[in-house]
């Protein structure tokens, strides 16, 4: 899995960019909650939301956070929408537990 950790924080992103990683995060959700952040690199609101998660999320109780670049990996975004029955938005946060989306929010 790829990851991104900003230098000013101990926050770590796992990159969600393929079906295998998506299936791994679903499996992981049966042992602990997983966060998915759907991010558009062209949207300033999405960038601001991502930066806020990184700056405030280092002490989060959810340690497995996945970043989905919706512009480059639209097929995974569509799969998330279909599998979890959550209308696509960006930026968007989803919390996955036991294979289900238990929470989602957007701006």
């Amino acid at each position: 899995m790829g990851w991104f950790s900003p230098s000013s924080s101990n926050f770590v992103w796992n990159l969600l960019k393929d079906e295998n990683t998506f299936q791994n995060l679903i499996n992981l959700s049966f042992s602990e909650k997983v966060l998915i952040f759907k991010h558009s690199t062209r949207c300033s609101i999405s960038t601001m939301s991502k930066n806020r998660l990184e700056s405030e999320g280092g002490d989060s109780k959810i340690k497995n956070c996945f970043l989905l670049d919706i512009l480059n990996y639209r097929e995974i975004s569509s799969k998330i929408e279909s599998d979890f029955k959550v209308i696509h938005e960006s930026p968007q946060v989803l919390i996955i537990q036991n294979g289900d989306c238990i929470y989602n929010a957007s701006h």
Side-chain angles (χ1 to χ4, degrees):
M1 258 184 271
W3 60 273
F4 171 73
S5 179
S7 58
S8 62
S9 170
N10 61 354
F11 193 89
V12 175
W13 287 113
N14 295 291
L15 299 181
L16 177 52
K17 56 185 180 179
D18 57 40
E19 176 74 30
N20 188 46
T21 304
F22 179 71
Q23 196 55 54
N24 287 340
L25 84 79
I26 297 299
N27 294 338
L28 180 61
S29 78
F30 285 92
S31 60
E32 56 190 279
K33 291 179 183 172
V34 174
L35 179 143
I36 299 172
F37 181 68
K38 294 172 74 176
H39 174 52
S40 171
T41 56
R42 289 188 204 149
C43 174
S44 62
I45 294 171
S46 188
T47 299
M48 183 177 65
S49 298
K50 178 180 169 284
N51 291 341
R52 178 173 260 174
L53 280 170
E54 291 169 350
S55 67
E56 297 177 8
D59 296 324
S60 172
K61 293 179 182 177
I62 299 177
K63 298 300 178 193
N64 288 292
C65 300
F66 290 80
L67 179 69
L68 174 62
D69 176 345
I70 62 166
L71 299 177
N72 288 317
Y73 303 104
R74 181 66 187 155
E75 67 283 352
I76 299 297
S77 181
S78 296
K79 181 158 183 57
I80 288 169
E81 182 177 25
S82 172
D83 288 5
F84 297 129
K85 311 287 189 270
V86 174
I87 295 173
H88 166 75
E89 296 185 73
S90 172
Q92 186 174 40
V93 171
L94 300 95
I95 306 295
I96 312 303
Q97 184 176 32
N98 296 323
D100 293 317
C101 180
I102 62 167
Y103 175 83
N104 75 86
S106 187
H107 69 307

